[in-house]
C-alpha cells in the first residue's frame, strides 16, 4: 500500500508513506510507485498513528442499566452498583460485551487500550474473560490488562491473593485504589505493597490514585516517593489524580517537581472527571480534572483516557478518543494552538509512551515501525478534534481493518444551487 499526499500530525504536508510486509518502508515526498501496490490518495488529509486509550474498564463496559442505572451519578454509587452486578456476571456476557467494544474501538482507529480488570472476585471471572479477549483480538489491537482491586487492596479480604493470582495468569500491570482504603495510612500501605510487588516482578504500575475532591489526599506523593525509592522511574502511572485539582497551590508547587523527578506519568479521564467530581459541591462546582497543562509543562507524560463507556459510572461514550481529547481540551482550557495539539498527543503518542508500546510492538509513523495508522477526514490534529473527524481508513500491520465513508451533507436550499458541504476549514 502507498498513501500519497498526506499531512502528518507534526505539520509535514505532501507526505507519501509506503507499506511493505506490514511495516512502514519509506516516508517522504513523491515516493516512487511500485507495481501492483494499492495507492490511497490522502489529498492533504491527516495521517496519524492510531489512537491509544491509556485508561479503560473493559470488564464493565456496555453494562449500562444492569441491574439498574446510577441514580446519584457519583463514583461511590457506581462502585456500589458494580458490586451489585458482579455476582450476576457470566464469562460469556463479559467476553461478548468486551469484544463488541473492541470492534467499536477499531472502527474509531483506537488500536491499543490499557484496561483495568477487577480482581476483587475470588473466581477471577473478569480476569479470565479479558485474558481470553486479549488473545482473541491480538491480531487487530493491543490490550494491556491492569490487575485492579476495585474494592480496595486492604479493605476487601482476599484482594492481595487475588491480585497475585491474576498476575500469575498473565495480567500485565499492577493496579490499586489507595483513596478507597479505609484510612490514609492504609492507602499509603497499599501503594507501598503494590510498588514493591512491581519491583519484585519487573512490572509496570498504574494506580487509580486520589480520585477524589479531597485536597488533603496524599497518595500521589506516596506513589512518586515509592517509584523513586524502588527505581521504578518511567514505569509508574497515576490515573485520575483529581485531588490535585483541589489541592493548595503551594503544596502542588512541591508535588509536581517530585512527580517529574520520580518519572511518574499521569492519566486524566476528562469525560469521567468532569462528570463524577465536584458532586458534593453546590456552586461554584469544581471541575475535578487534574492539572494537565501544569503537569505537561513540567515534562511529565500526560495522556487522556476514556475510562468508561456505558457502564455504572458513565452513561455515554462510543470509543471515540477525539471526543475524549475535546473534553480534555475544554476542561483544561487548553485552547492555544500548542495546547490543542497537546490534547491530540494525549490520545496518541503520550498514551503510547505510558503503555510502553515501543518496548513491544512499536508505535509511531517512522520507517521500520509497524504500518499502524489512521487516515482522518481533517487537515490537522486540531481539526480532527473539532470535527471528531471520520476515520476514513484504519490500518494495522498494513492491513485495512476499517473504512468509513467521508462525512458529507447534500444541501438543497431554496433559492440556491444544490451543493455539498463538509466542515473542514477552507485553506
Ligand atoms: Fe478507572
Amino acid at each position: 500500500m502507498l498513501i500519497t499526499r498526506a499531512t502528518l500530525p507534526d505539520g509535514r504536508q505532501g507526505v507519501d508513506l509506503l507499506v511493505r510486509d506490514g511495516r512502514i518502508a519509506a516516508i517522504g515526498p513523491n515516493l516512487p510507485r511500485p507495481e501492483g501496490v494499492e495507492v490511497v490518495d490522502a489529498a492533504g488529509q491527516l495521517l496519524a498513528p492510531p489512537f491509544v486509550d491509556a485508561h479503560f474498564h473493559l470488564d464493565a463496559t456496555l453494562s449500562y442499566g444492569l441491574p439498574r442505572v446510577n441514580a446519584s451519578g457519583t463514583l461511590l454509587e457506581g462502585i456500589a452498583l458494580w458490586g451489585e452486578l458482579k455476582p450476576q456476571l457470566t464469562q460469556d456476557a463479559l467476553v461478548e460485551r468486551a469484544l463488541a467494544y473492541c470492534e467499536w474501538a477499531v472502527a474509531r482507529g483506537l488500536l491499543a487500550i490499557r484496561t483495568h480488570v477487577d480482581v476483587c472476585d475470588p473466581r477471577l471471572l473478569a480476569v479470565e474473560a479479558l485474558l481470553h479477549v486479549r488473545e482473541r483480538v491480538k491480531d487487530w489491537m493491543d490490550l494491556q490488562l491492569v490487575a485492579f482491586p476495585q474494592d480496595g487492596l486492604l479493605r476487601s479480604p482476599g484482594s492481595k491473593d487475588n491480585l497475585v493470582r491474576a498476575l500469575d495468569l498473565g495480567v500485565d500491570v499492577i493496579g490499586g485504589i489507595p483513596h478507597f482504603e479505609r484510612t490514609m495510612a492504609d492507602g499509603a500501605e497499599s501503594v507501598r505493597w503494590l510498588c514493591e510487588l512491581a519491583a519484585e516482578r519487573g512490572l509496570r504500575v498504574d494506580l487509580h490514585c486520589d480520585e477524589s475532591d479531597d485536597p488533603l489526599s496524599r497518595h500521589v506523593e506516596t506513589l512518586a516517593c515509592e517509584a523513586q525509592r524502588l527505581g521504578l522511574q518511567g514505569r509508574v502511572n497515576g490515573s485520575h489524580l483529581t485531588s490535585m485539582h483541589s489541592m493548595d497551590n503551594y503544596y502542588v508547587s512541591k508535588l509536581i517537581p517530585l512527580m517529574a523527578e520520580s518519572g511518574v506519568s499521569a492519566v486524566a479521564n476528562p469525560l469521567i472527571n468532569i462528570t463524577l467530581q465536584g458532586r458534593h459541591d453546590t456552586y461554584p462546582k469544581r471541575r475535578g480534572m487534574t492539572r494537565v497543562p501544569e503537569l505537561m509543562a513540567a515534562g511529565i507524560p500526560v495522556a487522556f483516557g476514556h475510562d468508561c463507556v456505558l457502564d455504572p459510572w458513565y452513561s455515554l461514550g462510543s470509543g471515540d478518543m477525539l471526543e475524549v481529547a475535546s473534553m480534555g481540551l475544554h476542561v483544561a482550557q487548553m485552547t492555544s494552538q500548542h495546547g490543542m495539539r497537546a490534547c491530540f498527543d494525549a490520545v496518541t503518542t503520550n498514551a503510547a509512551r505510558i503503555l510502553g508500546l515501543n518496548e513491544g510492538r512499536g508505535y509511531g509513523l517512522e520507517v521500520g515501525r509497524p504500518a499502524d495508522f489512521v487516515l482522518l477526514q481533517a487537515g490537522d490534529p486540531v481539526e480532527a478534534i473539532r470535527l471528531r473527524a471520520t476515520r476514513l481508513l484504519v490500518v494495522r500491520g498494513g492491513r485495512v481493518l476499517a473504512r468509513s465513508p467521508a462525512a458529507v451533507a447534500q444541501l438543497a436550499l431554496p433559492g440556491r444551487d444544490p451543493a455539498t458541504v463538509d466542515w473542514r476549514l477552507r485553506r
Side-chain angles (χ1 to χ4, degrees):
M1 173 185 282
L2 177 69
I3 310 281
T4 62
R5 298 198 301 153
T7 299
L8 302 187
D10 63 11
R12 276 179 286 168
Q13 294 183 330
V15 176
D16 296 355
L17 182 146
L18 178 68
V19 176
R20 192 182 296 129
D21 299 329
R23 295 195 166 263
I24 299 171
I27 300 178
N30 303 313
L31 294 180
R33 299 186 176 200
E35 291 274 315
V37 160
E38 182 192 357
V39 176
V40 176
D41 182 5
Q45 297 178 111
L46 179 65
L47 189 72
F51 296 106
V52 178
D53 186 353
H55 187 112
F56 196 65
H57 294 263
L58 201 52
D59 51 359
T61 196
L62 309 193
S63 68
Y64 180 71
L66 297 175
R68 59 183 177 83
V69 298
N70 183 335
S72 67
T74 59
L75 172 65
L76 295 181
E77 185 176 343
I79 293 175
L81 184 47
W82 174 240
E84 289 171 36
L85 177 57
K86 260 196 271 191
Q88 301 173 26
L89 292 172
T90 67
Q91 190 147 7
D92 286 351
L94 277 163
V95 168
E96 195 184 324
R97 288 197 286 262
L99 279 174
Y101 183 78
C102 289
E103 289 178 4
W104 291 9
V106 168
R108 297 285 200 202
L110 169 54
L111 298 186
I113 298 176
R114 174 180 278 183
T115 175
H116 296 252
V117 52
D118 189 358
V119 297
C120 291
D121 163 13
R123 301 170 299 166
L124 293 183
L125 201 70
V127 170
E128 286 183 359
L130 292 198
L131 285 167
H132 175 73
V133 171
R134 187 180 70 182
E135 186 63 22
R136 287 271 292 273
V137 304
K138 69 172 194 253
D139 291 336
W140 33 288
M141 71 188 304
D142 290 313
L143 280 187
Q144 202 176 74
L145 306 189
V146 185
F148 175 48
Q150 170 77 74
D151 300 329
L153 183 77
L154 304 177
R155 181 171 167 172
S156 167
S159 289
K160 283 182 176 177
D161 287 345
N162 294 344
L163 188 139
V164 168
R165 279 167 53 221
L167 297 177
D168 290 341
L169 288 170
V171 169
D172 310 279
V173 178
I174 293 178
I177 185 164
H179 56 276
F180 195 67
E181 305 294 351
R182 291 289 189 197
T183 63
M184 202 63 77
D186 276 2
E189 167 60 16
S190 79
V191 173
R192 188 190 59 75
W193 191 87
L194 292 162
C195 288
E196 285 180 356
L197 183 63
E200 202 179 291
R201 294 197 169 217
L203 296 176
R204 289 172 181 268
V205 176
D206 188 339
L207 306 188
H208 284 64
C209 197
D210 284 355
E211 187 183 1
S212 77
D213 296 314
D214 178 0
L216 298 177
S217 203
R218 291 292 178 260
H219 301 307
V220 185
E221 175 185 278
T222 306
L223 182 64
C225 271
E226 290 298 326
Q228 205 168 61
R229 180 174 75 85
L230 296 161
L232 294 171
Q233 289 90 342
R235 305 183 66 78
V236 172
N237 180 69
S239 280
H240 290 293
L241 313 182
T242 52
S243 61
M244 289 181 71
H245 188 94
S246 297
M247 282 173 183
D248 173 71
N249 285 335
Y250 174 77
Y251 175 68
V252 173
S253 76
K254 186 166 162 271
L255 179 61
I256 290 181
L258 172 66
M259 292 171 70
E261 73 184 46
S262 305
V264 170
S265 58
V267 173
N269 296 293
L271 292 163
I272 307 310
N273 301 151
I274 196 71
T275 312
L276 295 184
Q277 303 310 136
R279 286 272 175 166
H280 296 271
D281 296 350
T282 53
Y283 289 95
K285 272 182 193 286
R286 282 169 288 180
R287 292 156 188 244
M289 193 168 80
T290 196
R291 304 190 187 202
V292 171
E294 292 78 8
L295 289 163
M296 285 180 169
I300 294 169
V302 182
F304 291 148
H306 207 317
D307 199 5
C308 302
V309 168
L310 292 169
D311 71 9
W313 297 273
Y314 189 56
S315 43
L316 297 165
S318 67
D320 185 351
M321 294 309 292
L322 288 172
E323 185 186 2
V324 174
S326 176
M327 182 57 76
L329 184 161
H330 285 84
V331 175
Q333 301 180 333
M334 293 172 69
T335 48
S336 69
Q337 271 290 320
H338 173 76
M340 293 190 287
R341 285 171 184 270
C343 290
F344 189 84
D345 294 344
V347 293
T348 52
T349 50
N350 296 4
R353 180 172 166 194
I354 290 170
L355 267 65
L357 294 184
N358 270 331
E359 286 177 20
R361 175 180 175 81
Y363 179 88
L365 298 182
E366 287 179 36
V367 173
R369 299 266 166 86
D372 303 348
F373 48 78
V374 186
L375 181 62
L376 293 148
Q377 190 188 359
D380 61 39
V382 174
E383 193 161 76
I385 294 174
R386 178 173 66 83
L387 299 176
R388 321 282 193 278
T390 300
R391 284 67 164 174
L392 299 166
L393 206 61
V394 179
V395 174
R396 178 173 150 112
R399 183 190 297 174
V400 177
L401 298 182
R403 289 178 198 269
S404 296
V408 177
Q410 308 290 336
L411 287 182
L413 303 178
R416 307 250 313 165
D417 290 338
T420 59
V421 72
D422 69 32
W423 294 266
R424 283 174 293 170
L425 182 65
R426 286 167 188 79
R427 285 157 212 280

